Structure formats: C-alpha cells, structure tokens
Amino acid sequence: MTSVDEFAQALRTAITNRGLGLERLREHLSQNGVTVSMATLSYWQTGRSRPERQKSLQAVVHLEHILELPPGHLSELLGPPRPRGRWLRNAPAPMSAFWSPQTPVEHALNGLDTQWDDQLLRVSQQDFVTIGADRTERVFRSRQVLSASMTGPDRWVVIMHIDDHDRPLPLVSALKNCTVGQVVREPAEGLLVAELLFERPLRKGESVVIEHELVNQDPCPPATNYERKFRLPTREYVLEVTFEGAPPSSVTQLADGSAVAAGRTLLDVALDVQPGVRGFSWTW
C-alpha cells in the first residue's frame, strides 16, 4: 500500500469513527480559519489527490485535532511530496511567469489551490472592458469556456494587477456557473488574486462556461491599456474595449506593436493563441 493509500484510508477511518460528514468537517476547518472545499476533502479520503501545498499540509494538522487523532498521525502517512509530471519536461511556465519579480504574485498564489490550472484546456477567453467618460478603468467582465483534461478541476484562479497602487482594488463578483472562493488582496502592490469555484468538480472531457466581473471603486485608476496574459495556449480569444467618452488619440496592439485605428470600440479576435500577452495600449 502506498503512502497516499495509507493516508486516504486513515482519513476515511478517522472521519467514520468521529461520525462527521464532509460538510461538517469543512465547517470545523473554516472555524479554525482553514478553507478546504468538500471536493478536496473527498479526493483526499478516496486517494484521488493528496495534500501537498503548505496550506493543505496546515489543514491536515487541523484535521488531526478535529478528528481527535494523535499529533502527526496523518501527516506522517503522507511521505515526501510527489513530483508532478507536467512540471518535469516541456512544462508550462509557472502562473507567476508573466509578472515582474517586483509583483509578489507567487507569494499571493502560495495560499491558494492552483493544482488544477494546468488541467484546464482554454477553449475560449472573452474579455469585455468598459472605460468611463472620465478616462478611468470601470468594469472588466470575462467569460471563460474551459474543458477538463482529467477528472478533478473545481476552480479557476483570477489574477488582477493595477499599475496605480494608491487606488482601491476592484470588487470581484461571480456572474455565471461559479462562486467566489478565497480572495487575496495586496493593496500596496495593486494585486488581487481570487478563486472562482465551479458548481462541482469537472469530469475528464467535461466543459464549463463561467463568467465573472471586476468593478473598480472610486477613485478609479486612469486607463491607458488592457492586457491579457496567456500562460497556456487558448483556442479563441475575444477582447472588446468600449470607451464611454471620447476615444483615445492613438492605439497600439500589444501582440505585435502595430498601430490600430482609434474608435469608441476596440476589438481583438484571435485563434490558436500561444503563451504571451495580447491587448491594447493607448494615449489620450
């Protein structure tokens, strides 16, 4: 029996002996300041996945207390962390790769569950951006079509960075087929990271359409550009930027640096997008 099997069996036995359902167990963890989804708890007890990240290992310590187990009983069964195959060869860039070292994205992501991100195929990414008549960033609405390459993905992680760090961070709202999970806010860095939790984990080959919205608070940051960072290939990308007031005087497309005709609406449509950056920058 592998260490993963031993951990799963010990966790199942402890849960049964304690007489707690997964929902109740999740509530106990939440009361201790630990957020773990029911899907994750289910995968841990069935052996489909194991706690590996620092946040998950801390959750195990709390589980031992809640389930009235000796300290270290479950932790010792996990053994050393296992390597993740897609990180070993031809691995995609880490989620922090397209951000400057001065932006603490890696630190913000450390407390979130990003294990499923590489297993979500990007079928379609659609961004709708509204720039106010006062030339400030108002609303960002995004629609993702995602397909699972394996059974298990249960969330999408959003990273938002604003250049003007003395402005309030936007408010994030789930609009379709998802709910907002854990949110990490770093106002001094202009950084917001949020989990969008699916209604249930996806099965292999299953797809989901989710929508979310980011709304800036007054005073909104001045708008000079919008960019979407692609860490993994995406089959379709659509970007629509709408100016509620006068259009900018000049516009540059970020993908190739070419000049674009300025108007009240900017549109970028691309197929088979490779890792990199797309979007527009403009001057007034």
Side-chain angles (χ1 to χ4, degrees), residues 95-169:
M95 292 185 70
S96 59
F98 291 99
W99 307 88
S100 70
Q102 288 73 35
T103 305
V105 172
E106 192 68 37
H107 177 266
L109 291 170
N110 189 50
L112 301 181
D113 184 359
T114 60
Q115 63 176 313
W116 300 114
D117 194 71
D118 292 354
Q119 314 305 332
L120 288 168
L121 303 178
R122 279 67 165 168
V123 179
S124 179
Q125 172 72 52
Q126 301 175 9
D127 293 334
F128 303 92
V129 183
T130 301
I131 308 301
D134 59 353
R135 301 180 178 180
T136 62
E137 301 171 357
R138 290 290 174 177
V139 180
F140 304 90
R141 180 167 55 87
S142 290
R143 180 178 187 268
Q144 287 90 15
V145 182
L146 307 165
S147 181
S149 64
M150 65 178 294
T151 295
D154 63 352
R155 70 195 63 202
W156 173 260
V157 177
V158 175
I159 303 174
M160 176 70 178
H161 180 256
I162 60 175
D163 296 325
D164 205 342
H165 296 178
D166 61 349
R167 309 277 178 159
L169 290 172

Side-chain angles (χ1 to χ4, degrees), residues 176-246:
K176 184 174 183 178
N177 297 332
C178 61
T179 57
V180 177
Q182 186 173 352
V183 178
V184 177
R185 305 174 70 89
E186 300 282 354
E189 305 294 340
L191 180 66
L192 180 146
V193 181
E195 295 176 327
L196 297 178
L197 307 178
F198 306 156
E199 294 177 346
R200 58 177 175 78
L202 301 180
R203 297 185 297 272
K204 181 177 180 180
E206 189 175 12
S207 299
V208 66
V209 178
I210 62 171
E211 294 182 11
H212 73 280
E213 186 176 65
L214 292 162
V215 179
N216 277 311
Q217 308 172 72
D218 290 328
C220 297
T224 58
N225 69 286
Y226 178 81
E227 63 180 30
R228 165 68 66 175
K229 301 176 189 293
F230 293 90
R231 188 175 69 90
L232 294 170
T234 300
R235 295 180 189 173
E236 174 200 64
Y237 180 55
V238 177
L239 167 61
E240 182 180 78
V241 182
T242 301
F243 298 92
E244 294 184 328

